[in-house]
């Protein structure tokens, strides 16, 4: 299917604004587009700023498109040089291992099954949401201690 220039412009604009564009087609014709967006948690920027003030480097590793990742990183105050986008789950683990090889102790925060390899590779794996099951499995395999703590909403995290 060929994407007309008018759609390409829209998709590029959305991507640079932090949206993930999705084309809608019907019978091999593009009939529309949808812009999806990740929302930052309200406390995310404050957490990143606190980490940056205390530690040497905060990085973003994501499977998202680079333009989307850069837009979110900009909101968080993470420099573009510290953004690795379009990274596979194995690639995230490789990036964590590379930082460890340089002498860094790495804490990795992940929120899904695709973060499992990096959570298991990091010195400290912090799993949120659906990533908690992955963290538990990884910790069980490694013999590490897993701690559950209730959140203010009554849910649990690792």
């Amino acid at each position: 299917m060929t994407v007309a220039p008018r759609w390409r412009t829209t998709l590029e604009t959305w991507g640079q604004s932090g949206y993930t564009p999705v084309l809608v087609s019907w019978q091999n014709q593009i009939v529309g587009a949808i812009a999806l967006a990740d929302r930052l948690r309200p406390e995310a920027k404050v957490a990143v700023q606190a980490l940056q003030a205390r530690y040497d480097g905060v990085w973003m590793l994501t499977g998202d498109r680079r333009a989307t990742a850069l837009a979110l990183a900009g909101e968080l105050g993470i420099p573009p040089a510290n953004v690795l986008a379009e990274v596979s789950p194995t690639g995230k683990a490789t990036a964590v291992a590379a930082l460890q090889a340089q002498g860094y102790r790495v804490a990795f925060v992940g929120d899904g099954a695709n973060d499992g390899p990096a959570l298991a590779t990091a010195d400290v794996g912090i799993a949120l949401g659906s990533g908690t099951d992955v963290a538990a499995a990884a910790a069980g395999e490694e013999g590490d201690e897993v701690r559950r703590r209730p959140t203010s909403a009554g849910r649990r995290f690792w």
Side-chain angles (χ1 to χ4, degrees):
M1 174 179 333
T2 303
V3 179
R6 70 182 176 103
W7 287 114
R8 288 184 191 276
T9 302
T10 299
L11 301 177
E12 187 175 307
T13 300
W14 285 351
Q16 291 172 349
S17 299
Y19 295 99
T20 300
V22 177
L23 289 172
V24 179
S25 67
W26 174 256
Q27 297 182 344
N28 242 7
Q29 297 292 320
I30 297 172
V31 295
I34 301 168
L36 305 175
D38 289 325
R39 290 187 185 163
L40 293 175
R41 295 176 59 114
E43 65 275 11
K45 186 172 184 173
V46 173
V48 168
Q49 289 172 338
L51 290 168
Q52 287 171 326
R54 185 164 183 176
Y55 299 104
D56 184 26
V58 172
W59 288 73
M60 175 187 284
L61 283 75
T62 180
D64 290 341
R65 294 179 58 237
R66 181 145 182 84
T68 301
L70 288 172
L72 290 173
E75 289 183 50
L76 293 169
I78 298 173
N82 289 14
V83 176
L84 298 178
E86 302 177 26
V87 182
S88 69
T90 305
K92 292 177 187 179
T94 300
V96 168
L99 289 168
Q100 291 169 323
Q102 294 174 38
Y104 291 101
R105 295 191 64 194
V106 179
F108 186 90
V109 180
D111 66 355
N114 62 346
D115 294 320
L119 287 165
T121 302
D123 297 296
V124 176
I126 304 165
L128 307 172
S130 62
T132 57
D133 292 336
V134 174
E141 292 172 9
E142 299 298 321
D144 295 334
E145 182 178 346
V146 175
R147 297 183 185 178
R148 292 183 179 212
R149 302 212 190 270
T151 66
S152 60
R155 293 174 298 200
R156 300 176 81 78
F157 68 94
W158 301 96

